Every structure is written in C-alpha cells, then in structure tokens.
Amino acid sequence: MRSYFISFLFLLLVELSFAQTWNAYHQNIVDNCTLSNTTNNINEFVAFGEKNAASNNTKYNNLVAAKNWLISKYQSYGYTDVVEDNFTYNGKTVTNVVVTKIGELYPNTFVIIDGHYDTLNGVGANDNGSGVSLILEIARVMVNVPTAYSIKFINFTVEEQGLHGSYYYANTTSLGLDIRYVFNIDEVGGVAGMTNNTITCESDQGIPNSNNEASAILTNELATSIELYSSLNTQISYAYNSDYMSFENKGEIITGLYETNETPYAHTSSDIIANMDIPYVFEITKGSAGALLHFAQANESLKVNDEYNELTNVKVFPNPIRNNRVNFMFNSANLINKKVDVKLVDILGNTILKTSFNSTTKISQLELNQFNVGVYFIVVNIEGKEKRQKVMIK
Ligand SMILES: [Zn+2]
C-alpha cells in the first residue's frame, strides 16, 4: 500500500516543481499580449459612456451594452462557458459576466481573476476600463493554455455603489465553489504626465485574519511575477474597498492590484484616456498574465495534442486506473499481432516506465508497478504512430 509519507512526498515534489522562477513557457504566452489590444479594449469600453445602474436609463442601457460587449469579446476568443450571473439592483436586472476555463488536474478548484465594469460619474477609462482591458487581454492569450487549476474570469457589476455584484456572487452564486485564490484588478491606469513605473500589490490585512498569512504569501508571489514579466517595480500595501473584500469577508485568500500614482480623476467626468497611461496598463497586463499563469499552474505538459492521437482505434481503460492494472483494446484487425510500446509519463514530462508487449488479442492487460496517486500520460506507440492519453492513477 502507498504510505501517507510517499503521497506527501509526491505532493511536496509537485509543489516544488512550481516554485516561482522565470518560466519560458509562461513568457511565450505573456509575449502574446499586445499594446494595441490594451488600447483598443479601453477605447471600446469608454465608447459606451457612463455605465451605471443607480441612475437614469441611459446609463443603465450603457451598462447593458457593455455587458453584451464583454460577452461577445470572450466568445470571440473562443470561450464557450460565458455565463450571465443576474440579480436585481435598484429595480433593474444587473449582470456579472463569468467566464470559466476548466483546469486539467483540479477542474473543481478555481482561481478567480476579477475587475468591475460599472463606472461612476463618467466613462471610467481608468476606473475600471484599465482592469477590464487587462482581464480581456489575459483571457485572450490564455484560451488554449492548459492549466492545472480552473480559472474564472469575472467582470462584476454595481461595484461603485458598494461591491454589490461581488457580494451577490460570493454569497449566492458561488456557494460551495472551491475557490483557491481571488485576484482583483481595480484602477491600474496611472496618471498621464507622471512616471508610472511602480504598481501596488495589495494583501489582506483585515478581519478575519485567518486568511491573512496566505494572502501575504500570494501577494509576494504576485509582486515577483510582475517583476519577472513586466518592466515595473512593485510595492506591497493593503487591500480595501474593492470586489476582493466580498471574498475576503468569507475567509478566501485574496490579492489585488492598484495604481501607485493615484489618479485624482476617479469617479469624475475627467476619468478619460488622456488623463491615464495606457503603456503602464500594458505592463501591468503582462505582469498579471505571468501571475495568473503561475497561480493556475499553466504547464505545457498538461496539453494532450491531437497529433499524438493517431491511434484512434486504441482504447486505454479504465480511467482512473485502480489496482495497478490497465487494459488496452485494439479496435482494428490491423492492430493485432503488433509490437506495442508503452510509456508512462508524469505531468512534468518525465518517462517513469517503459515497456512493450505484443497485441496477440483484442484486449491486452498490463500490470503496472505501484505508482503514486496522480495524473499521468500513457503513450502508446505502434509502428511509429502514437496515442497519448491522460490518465489518473488511484
Ligand atoms: Zn473601481
């Protein structure tokens, strides 16, 4: 039987393998972010005018139009799980936009990245067009990136009247959801004419304090990611008065970003593009992409590439594998009486078992050694053609 100690050791090794160093795969993804997308996103966001459910119908209609724009943006990137999370505020239906990307190893555990899309007293180029643009661009570059954990990209509504959208989501929609981290982006536009070379990373220093230490660690990781994947410096401060607090109040582990040079124009008609610094938003976007790739554990080896699935007539079962026995079914006469090479590969890409057998019958069984519980790939090779299948060993 597997000992507790061995399972623990395995987990420890997996954790160590995700220790935070510069990662070439993550860098390649970060490099797909563009300044022109950041600029276009903010331009489009501003064009809707003030987006607010608290006042007249024009501003409410702008909020609805911006919601529809967000949905079509995510869908244009290739996301299919785009949900309208509706509730009533001020007698009106208002909507959080929730986009889900499922993880390969922990599909039921979620890293949330969020930023509100409602605005107050103006178009909100900085507050929070900057955060909305950032999240859109990161969602775009990550759509086909395999991650260990699931991700939710969320644009909350009615933040400006008191965190209503995130409160509703945290206390109603997401009840029972296993939330790993919440990463909040609010007002990261900087100030035109100033040297915007630093971003403030916010840790939870409030009550309850059971989650504060984990938030401090997470926030340090955020700062490290930003320094690895952008040109910016970082400083640490405390979290307050934005959507992460709806989660912090429930004991979740949070972190967030806020501009270091603070705009004097938030919540005024002067919160316009001319008064902010879009290249600064772009740098924060790159750093935040690096952070999210780290938080959700993006890993190239999690990808099952179709080019490795030429052997469609080979079935590997059961999955999960139990009792160290795995079966291979050869659903084609051409595959009988062939030499079958089999490899077991761990999630870091290391081959941990190599063997072969002859497919004398339609179904062949292979006895594996005892391996630790976890996710692996079984790679089957027959005459140079491969099938690569992700399996769980229990
Ligand atoms: Zn805001």
Side-chain angles (χ1 to χ4, degrees), residues 365-386:
Q365 188 173 75
L366 193 64
E367 294 273 344
L368 300 176
N369 297 324
Q370 286 198 343
F371 292 103
N372 293 322
V373 167
V375 174
Y376 297 82
F377 296 97
I378 285 190
V379 182
V380 180
N381 189 309
I382 301 174
E383 295 180 336
K385 289 191 171 180
E386 273 195 355

Side-chain angles (χ1 to χ4, degrees), residues 115-119 126-129 159-160 163 184-187 241-243 258 266-267 271:
H116 73 89
Y117 73 97
D118 61 309
T119 67
N126 184 344
D127 183 14
N128 186 28
E159 188 267 357
E160 297 290 7
L163 318 181
N184 183 77
I185 319 287
D186 193 0
E187 201 181 309
N241 202 22
S242 187
D243 287 315
Y258 187 68
H267 308 160
D271 182 3

Side-chain angles (χ1 to χ4, degrees), residues 50-56 59-60 63 118-121 161:
E50 183 175 340
K51 299 156 277 282
N52 194 305
S55 50
N56 65 43
K59 294 173 183 177
Y60 171 69
L63 185 68
D118 61 309
T119 67
L120 184 60
N121 299 328
Q161 281 74 38

Side-chain angles (χ1 to χ4, degrees), residues 56-126:
N56 65 43
N57 279 338
T58 302
K59 294 173 183 177
Y60 171 69
N61 291 340
N62 294 343
L63 185 68
V64 173
K67 177 258 294 179
N68 290 329
W69 167 74
L70 284 167
I71 291 169
S72 66
K73 284 289 225 189
Y74 289 114
Q75 289 173 337
S76 76
Y77 303 150
Y79 288 95
T80 52
D81 189 345
V82 181
V83 171
E84 298 188 37
D85 176 41
N86 292 325
F87 62 102
T88 301
Y89 173 79
N90 191 31
K92 300 174 169 76
T93 298
V94 289
T95 307
N96 299 318
V97 177
V98 181
V99 179
T100 302
K101 171 178 165 54
I102 294 297
E104 306 293 331
L105 300 188
Y106 312 105
N108 298 318
T109 302
F110 295 84
V111 175
I112 292 174
I113 181 169
D114 75 277
H116 73 89
Y117 73 97
D118 61 309
T119 67
L120 184 60
N121 299 328
V123 299
N126 184 344

